[in-house]
């Protein structure tokens, strides 16, 4: 039988469920006994099933009670009370009112009850209460492999894991973005380094197209093994489920429930600086107004900076606050304060000019409710006492904190390793709806000229960044180390400023959709099996169009840059690559961040600015165009500072580029009218276009009118309109400028004879095996290691690969019996390496090495012992689709640490 439940208005899903329980409905009771709640127990057989209005259902399983409430067609909540008494410790802190629940229906399907919306069906199995979620087409989303279970301290859900299913989220997990096969902790730990989780969130999502938010303040442990177990340290179960189907959909549904990320003021997307300027024990006697001297140093060195925290240090107060704020504003910067001792003075501070609030664990308390409340209060305090938007930074947060602040990863020491593990941290946090996550440039302690410069390079592609001074031997302003470092830092901070319209548009997108700008490759390329693996750990996307692969060691060569499907353009040289591919040997001297642009990108820019306040009514808007096929970008604009955008005071303008997919042809740039209004909106402005093409356009026209071509750059720069082709600029760029045009009117720019971006022709190249994903692996002790010896049971715990005193920076460390599988797809023709038993074994062990292609053994070594000389090997692979690298024990397994030193494949 199927019964339909009508819509029932409620202010929230929780109110709707309360109505279900009070109003009742049809109760179906199989007549089973009701045992008392027990410790170390799980849900038993269903003893009663009661549907009610408002998309809610009550279920009894002995003494335990469960209830289900549908929030939307693809969003619902499951609660379970082992004792039969429900509790809701988060109340209205996190989950926002959700409006009218959807229409639902239910039926008794024999072995289960089914509760359905138009999009999904939730099954409740009878014999022992288990839940399973299915889509309307009958495909499984997830299913419990055993009932919900509990002890006297915790509750656990157990779900099946798909063969290739990947898991993301759980907030800011330091050093990680993809969690399959890993256990992550959710809760406060004050560990600011790799493995810590200071800004964790009790929400995760799956590549199978669903997400789970545990509605709690309790700490949790999520083990993404097979099966997946998620445990919270409380004797109640409360979870919301989101059925996507895509990861972006899931993030959007989760942030609709808990709040969209805030839209920061535009100065919040500029560099920030923090220090204690009153009685600083580390820097000698000084005063708050001395902050203005540092601001002047930024200006003197032509280095952009948007705001300054002037009391960032334990026990550091302030004086002359209004005068300091006014001085900073005159220098195009805003005043920020560290709120170490609470928020009681916030109203007066904001009235004096404070526009940034940094929170700290010293006062927000030990629980996440305190941290969340502090974030909300500081954000609201700025808004209640000024016309500005709230802008906060916090080192501890929880679900809901995306509504009010930047999540900052805490006090770390600058080093190469610090750069390395931060890269996946912030991209991974986006998968939990955290749009703004960051760490201090080069840490608060330690650091060096090189690590500062490398760290600033890639963090310039995060929305929010700051440096923190006063703790390390050298302060952390970007001019402290002199040349060449100051010039390099200027280059990237100026680029960050130029890209403000791009980043600010993504900030507005995050406020609409919940999806932040900093993204793991797996978010944009969910079908790419490599994107969620270790091969893509140390790179990320900034928006859809920039792929950033930071340098995280003291080197001028970057290996292992994975480029997903499509054509990718080196931002600095214009060289093109066809993905999917792995780029090795990328030349990255200190001034070069490996940076790639997606072919088809249309990027808005503000040329030549050092502050958003440099923009005037006559400033140009630039579009950087990488023509290939049809692509567009919608520029978002508002006043950048006030709250007027919430009343619709904003505008959008879309540039659509239609170009050949391949070869030579016409590229058309259609720029729409700017739709909307806000204070300070440009009613007219000139435009600049940089159109990348290896061929010189044969004609360029604006609105059908031919624009003049200049062959001299100086003449072009002096002209009001026209075009100039620079063959030496990044492989060829056509520069176009227009006279001042009305923003209320659309216009079209055409360029004939443009060559669509395509991969640069070239022969095969070597790819390090350690940079490629394992299709499968077995290993005799712990995991096989990349660029390290075998080590112990943990990942990355081995030593430098060493064979007879020769060290290898690249290679694979294994323990027999070991089998590493690579998918070569017929594209790799040769393999070479130097093999042997690692020196850490100190002379014993005995193994053989083998290369197996498509089931055929192509080469096997003689028996090698701990005293054998390293053996070089080169093996032709033909057109093999899959290659296995095997290390097998000959005698005992004691000490069989087999290394594949400098292992690499020659691939096209």
């Amino acid at each position: 039988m199927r019964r339909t439940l009508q819509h029932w208005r409620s202010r929230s899903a929780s109110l709707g469920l309360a109505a279900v329980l009070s109003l009742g409905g049809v109760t179906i009771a199989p007549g089973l006994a009701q045992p008392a709640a027990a410790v170390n127990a799980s849900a038993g057989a269903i003893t009663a099933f009661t549907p009610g209005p408002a998309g809610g259902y009550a279920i009894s399983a002995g003494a335990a009670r469960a209830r289900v409430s549908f929030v939307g067609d693809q969003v619902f909540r499951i609660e379970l009370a082992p004792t039969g008494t429900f509790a809701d410790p988060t109340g209205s802190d996190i989950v926002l009112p959700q409006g009218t629940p959807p229409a639902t229906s239910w039926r008794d399907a024999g072995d289960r009850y089914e509760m359905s919306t138009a999009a999904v069906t939730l099954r409740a199995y009878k014999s022992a209460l288990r839940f399973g979620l299915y889509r309307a087409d009958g495909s499984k989303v997830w299913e419990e492999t055993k009932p919900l279970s509990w002890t006297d301290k915790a509750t656990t859900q157990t779900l099946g894991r798909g063969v290739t299913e990947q898991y993301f989220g759980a907030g800011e997990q330091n050093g990680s973005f993809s969690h399959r096969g890993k256990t992550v902790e959710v809760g406060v730990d004050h560990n600011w380094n790799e493995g810590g989780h200071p800004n964790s969130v009790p929400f995760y999502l799956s590549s199978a197209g669903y997400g789970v938010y545990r509605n709690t303040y309790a700490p949790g442990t999520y083990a993404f093994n097979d099966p997946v177990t998620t445990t919270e340290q409380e004797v109640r179960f409360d979870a919301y489920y989101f059925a996507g189907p895509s990861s972006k959909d899931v993030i959007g549904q989760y942030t609709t429930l808990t709040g969209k990320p805030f839209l920061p003021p535009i100065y919040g997307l500029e560099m920030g600086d923090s220090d204690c300027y009153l009685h600083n024990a580390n820097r000698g006697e000084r005063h708050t107004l001395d902050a203005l001297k540092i601001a002047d140093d930024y200006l003197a060195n032509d280095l952009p900076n948007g705001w300054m925290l002037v009391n960032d240090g334990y026990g550091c107060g302030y004086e002359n606050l209004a005068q300091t704020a006014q001085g900073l504003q005159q220098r195009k910067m805003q005043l920020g304060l560290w709120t170490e001792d609470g928020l009681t003075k916030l109203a007066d501070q904001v009235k004096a000019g404070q526009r940034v609030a940094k929170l700290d664990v010293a006062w927000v308390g030990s629980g996440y409710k305190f941290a969340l409340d502090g974030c909300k209060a500081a954000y609201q305090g700025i808004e209640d006492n000024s016309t500005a938007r709230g802008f906060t930074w916090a080192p501890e947060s929880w679900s809901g904190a995306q509504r009010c602040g930047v999540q900052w990863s805490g006090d770390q020491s600058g080093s190469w390793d610090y750069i390395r593990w931060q890269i996946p941290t912030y991209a991974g946090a986006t998968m939990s709806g955290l749009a703004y996550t960051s760490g201090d440039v080069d840490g608060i302690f330690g650091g060096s000229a090189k690590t500062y410069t490398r760290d600033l390079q890639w963090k310039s592609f995060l929305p929010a960044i700051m440096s923190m001074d006063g703790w390390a031997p050298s302060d952390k302003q970007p001019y402290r180390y002199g040349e060449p470092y100051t010039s390099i830092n200027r280059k990237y901070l100026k680029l960050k400023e130029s890209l403000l319209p791009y980043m600010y548009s993504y900030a507005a997108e995050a406020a609409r959709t919940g999806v932040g700008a900093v993204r793991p490759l797996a978010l944009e390329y969910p079908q790419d099996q490599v994107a969620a693996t270790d091969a893509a750990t140390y790179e990320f996307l900034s928006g859809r169009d920039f792929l950033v692969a930071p340098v995280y060691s003291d080197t001028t060569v970057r290996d292992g840059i994975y480029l997903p499907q499509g054509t990718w353009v080196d931002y600095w040289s214009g060289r093109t690559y066809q993905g999917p591919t792995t780029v090795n040997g990328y030349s990255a001297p200190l001034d070069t961040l490996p940076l790639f642009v997606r072919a088809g990108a249309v990027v808005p820019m503000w040329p030549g600015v050092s502050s958003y306040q440099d923009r005037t009514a006559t400033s140009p808007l630039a579009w950087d165009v990488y023509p290939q096929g049809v692509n567009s970008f919608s520029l978002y604009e508002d006043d950048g500072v006030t709250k007027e955008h919430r009343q619709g005071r904003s505008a959008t303008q879309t540039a659509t580029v239609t170009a050949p997919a391949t070869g030579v042809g016409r590229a058309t740039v259609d720029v729409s009218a700017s739709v909307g209004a806000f204070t300070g909106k440009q009613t007219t402005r000139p435009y600049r276009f940089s159109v990348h093409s290896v061929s010189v356009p044969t004609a360029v026209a604006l609105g059908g009118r031919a624009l003049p071509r200049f062959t001299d750059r100086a003449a072009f720069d002096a002209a009001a309109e026209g075009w100039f082709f620079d063959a030496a600029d990044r492989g060829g760029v056509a520069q176009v400028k227009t006279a001042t045009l009305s923003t209320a009117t659309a216009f079209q720019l055409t360029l004939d004879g443009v060559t669509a971006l395509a991969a640069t022709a070239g022969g095969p190249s070597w790819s390090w095996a350690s940079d490629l994903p394992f299709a499968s692996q077995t290993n005799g002790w712990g995991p096989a290691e990349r660029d390290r010896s075998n080590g112990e049971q943990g990942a990355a715990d081995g030593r430098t690969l060493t064979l007879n005193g020769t060290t290898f920076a690249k290679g694979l460390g294994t323990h027999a019996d070991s089998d590493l599988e690579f998918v070569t797809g017929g594209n790799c023709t040769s393999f070479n390496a130097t093999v042997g038993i690692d020196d850490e074994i100190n002379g014993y062990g005995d193994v053989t090495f083998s290369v197996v292609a498509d089931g055929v053994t192509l080469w096997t070594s003689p028996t090698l012992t701990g005293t054998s000389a390293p053996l070089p090997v080169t093996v032709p692979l033909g057109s093999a689709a899959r290659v296995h690298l095997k290390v097998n024990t000959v005698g005992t397994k004691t000490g069989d640490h087999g290394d594949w030193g400098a292992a690499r494949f020659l691939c096209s």
Side-chain angles (χ1 to χ4, degrees):
M1 58 183 172
R2 181 171 292 277
R3 306 180 182 184
T4 301
L5 305 178
Q6 299 299 317
H7 283 274
W8 186 75
R9 293 192 175 274
S10 68
R11 289 183 295 117
S12 69
S14 59
L15 289 178
L17 184 58
V20 171
L21 299 178
S22 63
L23 294 175
V26 178
T27 300
I28 301 172
L32 301 177
Q34 298 185 10
V39 176
N40 298 315
S42 61
I46 293 179
T47 53
F49 178 86
T50 306
Y57 300 85
I59 302 171
S60 297
R65 299 287 185 271
R67 53 190 186 187
V68 175
S69 54
F70 283 87
V71 177
D73 276 350
Q74 299 178 95
V75 181
F76 59 92
R77 181 185 189 183
I78 296 177
E79 298 170 89
L80 181 134
T83 64
T85 301
F86 291 97
D88 189 4
T90 66
S92 60
D93 292 347
I94 301 172
V95 174
L96 302 176
Q98 296 297 301
T100 304
T104 66
S105 61
W106 67 274
R107 74 184 184 108
D108 186 335
D111 67 333
R112 63 186 184 269
Y113 295 106
E114 294 185 350
M115 297 154 278
S116 301
T117 67
V120 297
T121 292
L122 180 66
R123 297 179 179 181
Y125 292 96
K126 295 179 180 179
S127 60
L129 174 58
R130 288 186 303 113
F131 292 102
L133 181 63
Y134 288 75
R135 301 196 191 278
D137 63 5
S139 60
K140 182 171 69 175
V141 181
W142 58 259
E143 192 160 86
E144 292 179 329
T145 59
K146 65 180 184 179
L148 292 168
S149 59
W150 57 87
T151 68
D152 59 346
K153 292 184 173 62
T155 54
T156 298
Q157 183 173 45
T158 305
L159 300 179
R161 188 181 75 175
V163 174
T164 60
E165 193 170 359
Q166 299 285 347
Y167 299 89
F168 310 95
E172 200 175 84
Q173 296 288 328
N174 289 353
S176 180
F177 81 99
S178 181
H179 307 318
R180 179 182 172 91
K182 301 175 184 176
T183 298
V184 301
E185 300 292 335
V186 177
V188 61
D189 67 348
H190 304 309
N191 177 4
W192 313 122
N193 297 308
E194 185 169 20
H197 41 90
N199 284 297
S200 49
V201 169
F203 165 80
Y204 70 90
L205 61 82
S206 160
S207 63
Y210 73 88
V212 183
Y213 160 61
R214 294 291 283 269
N215 187 32
T216 181
Y217 282 126
T221 301
Y222 302 168
F224 295 106
N225 301 311
D226 191 8
V228 173
T229 59
T230 55
T231 300
E232 302 289 350
Q233 297 300 314
E234 60 181 355
V235 191
R236 58 183 287 274
F237 181 86
D238 187 352
Y240 286 84
Y241 298 84
F242 314 92
S246 73
S247 292
K248 288 184 179 179
D249 292 327
V250 170
I251 295 168
Q253 291 161 353
Y254 163 70
T255 53
T256 295
L257 186 80
T258 63
K260 299 298 183 191
F262 76 114
L263 180 61
I266 198 161
Y267 51 78
L269 303 184
E270 296 181 315
M271 176 79 167
D273 186 278
S274 61
D275 200 351
C276 171
Y277 289 97
L278 184 62
H279 315 312
N280 187 323
N282 295 335
R283 294 294 184 263
E285 182 64 18
R286 55 185 183 178
H287 299 277
T288 305
L289 283 170
D290 289 333
L292 301 183
K293 298 176 183 178
I294 301 299
D296 286 337
D297 286 342
Y298 272 96
L299 297 176
N301 285 281
D302 193 20
L303 288 161
N305 190 65
W307 50 276
M308 293 183 69
L309 298 173
V310 299
N311 69 330
D312 200 337
Y314 289 104
C316 185
Y318 57 78
E319 58 190 9
N320 301 313
L321 199 62
Q323 189 178 353
T324 303
Q326 184 180 31
L328 288 173
Q329 289 164 5
Q330 291 168 349
R331 292 159 174 83
K332 299 180 181 178
M333 302 177 198
Q334 296 294 336
L335 172 70
L337 292 173
W338 183 38
T339 53
E340 177 195 354
D341 56 354
L343 295 170
T344 57
K345 304 174 185 176
L346 183 62
D348 290 338
Q349 292 168 172
V350 172
K351 291 172 184 175
Q354 179 187 359
R355 294 296 181 266
V356 183
K358 178 171 167 281
L359 314 179
D360 194 82
V361 295
W363 72 268
V364 298
S366 59
Y368 275 115
K369 176 173 171 54
F370 292 95
L372 183 57
D373 287 348
C375 179
K376 293 177 184 176
Y379 181 88
Q380 197 61 45
I382 293 172
E383 299 209 334
D384 288 347
N385 295 281
S386 73
T387 60
R389 302 171 203 171
F391 185 56
T392 77
W393 281 58
E396 299 284 354
S397 62
W398 201 245
S399 288
Q402 71 272 7
R403 307 194 296 248
C404 53
V406 176
Q407 281 69 51
W408 164 67
S409 61
D411 296 340
Q412 296 110 2
S413 184
S415 68
W416 294 111
D417 206 47
Y418 168 68
I419 296 174
R420 177 191 61 78
W421 66 254
Q422 289 216 341
I423 300 165
T425 303
Y426 306 132
T430 298
M431 305 297 265
S432 296
L434 301 179
Y436 307 100
T437 54
S438 191
D440 302 320
V441 176
D442 204 32
I444 179 174
F445 310 110
S448 67
K450 283 187 178 181
T451 55
Y452 186 99
T453 300
R454 286 298 197 191
D455 203 30
L456 177 61
Q457 286 175 358
W458 73 272
K459 283 180 177 170
S460 294
F461 286 84
L462 302 181
I465 61 171
M466 74 168 170
S467 65
M468 186 174 290
D469 313 301
W471 297 90
S474 172
D475 280 341
K476 300 281 186 166
Q477 286 91 9
Y479 53 81
R480 289 292 180 184
Y481 290 109
E483 295 297 343
Y485 310 104
T486 299
S487 292
I488 298 171
N489 296 336
R490 181 186 303 114
K491 168 183 172 179
Y492 286 93
L493 288 176
K494 292 268 193 175
L495 180 58
K496 181 175 178 60
E497 291 290 324
S498 293
L499 287 171
L500 276 176
Y502 175 83
M503 189 61 77
Y504 194 61
S505 295
Y506 272 102
E509 179 180 308
R512 294 192 308 272
T513 68
V515 181
V518 180
R519 304 171 178 187
L521 272 61
L523 183 62
E524 290 292 341
Y525 299 90
Q527 304 307 316
D528 188 324
Q529 295 300 307
V530 176
T533 69
D534 290 347
T537 296
Y538 300 118
E539 58 191 75
F540 65 93
L541 295 168
S542 186
R544 183 185 174 206
D545 295 324
F546 289 98
L547 189 150
V548 185
V551 175
Y552 52 91
S553 63
D554 190 2
T555 181
T556 58
V557 176
R558 177 64 152 87
D559 291 320
I561 303 171
Y562 179 73
L563 302 177
Q565 176 100 27
T567 304
W568 293 90
V569 185
D570 185 320
Y571 185 78
W572 310 111
S573 70
R575 179 180 176 180
T576 53
Y577 301 82
Q578 188 62 41
T581 190
T582 299
V583 178
N584 290 305
Y586 182 92
S587 178
L590 185 62
D591 67 343
T592 301
L593 168 73
L595 178 65
F596 302 85
V597 187
R598 182 186 62 84
V602 186
V603 180
M605 301 182 75
W606 287 343
V609 299
S610 292
S611 165
Y612 80 94
Q613 296 184 61
D614 291 343
R615 298 280 294 170
T616 70
T618 60
S619 294
L621 174 67
W623 293 93
D624 198 16
V625 177
Y626 296 78
Q628 186 189 76
V630 180
N631 292 269
S632 65
F633 188 96
S634 290
L635 170 71
Y636 172 87
E637 297 177 284
D638 60 28
D639 66 29
V641 176
T642 77
K643 305 179 283 289
E644 288 188 2
H645 66 287
R646 296 176 196 158
Q647 283 72 52
R649 302 282 294 169
S650 63
T652 57
Q653 185 177 39
T654 301
T656 301
V657 177
T658 304
T662 59
V664 181
R666 169 173 283 191
T668 301
V669 184
D670 288 294
V671 179
S672 74
S674 176
V675 180
F678 59 89
T679 302
K681 178 183 174 180
Q682 289 178 300
T683 57
T684 62
R685 62 185 167 206
Y687 292 84
R688 304 286 184 267
F689 296 88
S690 300
V691 182
H692 296 252
S693 171
V694 297
S695 59
V696 182
T698 56
V700 177
L702 177 66
R705 176 177 58 86
L707 292 177
R709 178 185 178 184
F710 294 87
T711 56
D712 178 73
R713 181 61 190 250
F716 170 73
D717 290 340
E721 64 175 8
W723 67 281
F724 170 78
F725 185 78
D726 189 345
D729 183 7
R730 294 167 289 174
V733 178
Q735 301 284 356
V736 184
K737 63 197 310 189
T738 76
T740 298
L741 303 175
S742 170
T743 57
T745 304
F747 66 90
Q748 185 180 80
L749 179 73
T750 58
L751 299 92
D752 291 324
V754 166
T755 301
L757 293 170
T760 304
S765 60
W766 289 101
S767 296
W768 297 114
S770 57
D771 294 332
L772 301 177
F774 299 146
S776 66
Q777 67 157 303
T778 59
N779 200 52
W781 182 259
E785 298 284 8
R786 301 176 186 272
D787 306 328
R788 293 175 172 85
S789 63
N790 184 74
E792 297 299 329
Q793 289 287 357
D797 63 358
R799 304 177 184 179
T800 300
L801 293 162
T802 309
L803 298 174
N804 269 17
T806 300
T807 60
F808 294 84
K810 303 295 291 182
L812 303 166
T814 72
H815 190 299
D817 292 325
S818 172
D819 183 352
L820 306 181
E821 180 186 14
F822 297 84
V823 177
T824 52
N827 298 316
C828 302
T829 57
S830 184
F831 168 81
N832 71 24
T834 299
V835 301
I837 292 180
D838 197 276
D839 286 5
E840 67 187 359
I841 296 307
N842 196 25
Y844 57 95
D846 42 11
V847 301
T848 61
F849 293 79
S850 299
V851 177
V852 180
D854 294 341
V856 177
T857 300
L858 301 181
W859 171 83
T860 298
S861 74
T863 298
L864 299 179
T865 70
T867 59
S868 299
L871 180 65
V873 54
T874 298
V875 181
L877 301 176
S879 58
R882 291 176 179 267
V883 174
H884 291 254
L885 304 182
K886 296 186 175 184
V887 181
N888 293 314
T889 293
V890 176
T892 68
K893 289 189 177 182
T894 303
D896 287 348
H897 286 209
D899 291 350
W900 300 85
R904 58 183 184 164
F905 292 90
L906 182 63
C907 305
S908 59

